[in-house]
Amino acid sequence: MKAINPNELVVFLQIAKYKSFSKAAAETAVSPSAISYAMRALEERLNVRLFNRTTRSVSLTDAGEQLLKRIAPAFRDIEDALEDLSNFSGRPYGVLRINCGLPSAQIVLLPVVTQFLAAYPEVSIEIGGSDALLDMVSEGFDAGVRFGEHLAQDMIATAISLPLRSAVVASPEFFKRHVIPTHPEQLKQLPMIAQRFPSGSIYQWDFAKGGVELLVSPQGNLLLTDMRLALDAAVLGGGLAFVFEKMAEPLIDQGKLVRVLEDWCPYYPGLFLYYPSRRQVPYALKSLIEFAKQQISKM
C-alpha cells in the first residue's frame, strides 16, 4: 500500500462528520474540488470505497464506518495532547464538544458555559443538542451532560447543578374544563402531553410522597419529542405537561401556567458532566469541570 497522507485522513474525518463534501470544504477552508480529489486519492491508495455518493447525499460505506471507528479516537487523542500544552501556560485553550439535551443545555449548561468562556476566551465550546445516549468517543465528543442514573459504568461524572425536580403544569383555561388533580392516579383521566425519547421510549412521569412511589404513563393524543414543545403546548391548553421545574417557573409567575401535584414531585440528583474514564482528560475540560464546581459552591 502506498503511504497515506495524514491530511487525507483529516479530510475523511470532516466529510464523515458533516456527511457533506461542501461542508467539509468550508470547515477545512479548501475548495470542494480539492476535497473530492483528496478522497479519490485516499480511496485509490486503500483500494476501497469509503463513501456512497449521490447528487443529494453522502454516507459512509461499511469500510468507511470501520475506518472512522478506528482513527477518530486516535486523532482526538492527538488534539487533546496538543491542547494539554496549555498546562504550561496556565490558561486553557482549544475546542470542546459537549453533547447535551436541549432542555438541559438551556437551564443548566449554557449559564455555566457562557460564564466560563467569558473567563477563558481562548476556549471554544460546541454544544450538540441531543437526548440520545451516544458513544461519545466515536461521535467526537469530549463530554456529555446527563442525569446520574443514565451513565455507563466506565464514565466519570461531576455534578454541574444542584438537585432538580419536575413540575406538572397546565394552563388556567385547561383547569376551567378539567378537574384539578390532587393525586397522580387522577392524571390517567386527564389529557396528558407525552414526550418520546430518541430511543423510541416514552418519558414516564415519576412521583413520590411519604415513602410511596408512583410511575404514570402519560395518556393523551399529543406526543412530542422536545420538552420545550410540551411546555408550549401546555400554555396553549393542549393538556398537562411534565417538565423541568426551572423551565416552568417563569410561566407560572406570569400566570400562563398553573402547577399541580407539587407535593408529589421530589427532588432528585441534578445533571452531571461526564466523560470516558479511559481517555486523557483535556486541560480545557478539566478547567470547565473546576469552574462548574465553583459555581455550584456559590449557589
Side-chain angles (χ1 to χ4, degrees), residues 1 43 74 156 215 278 295 297:
M1 183 191 303
E43 290 176 328
I156 297 175
L215 202 62
R278 63 185 181 274
Q295 298 306 306
S297 67

Side-chain angles (χ1 to χ4, degrees), residues 165-185:
R165 65 173 175 168
S166 298
V168 181
V169 293
S171 69
E173 291 72 21
F174 177 87
F175 288 120
K176 290 178 181 179
R177 307 189 306 270
H178 301 280
V179 63
I180 296 177
T182 57
H183 191 282
E185 290 290 346

Side-chain angles (χ1 to χ4, degrees), residues 136-156:
M136 288 197 307
V137 176
S138 65
E139 294 291 335
F141 288 100
D142 297 286
V145 174
R146 287 290 180 273
F147 290 104
E149 64 268 24
H150 294 154
L151 302 181
Q153 292 184 351
D154 63 341
M155 294 292 170
I156 297 175

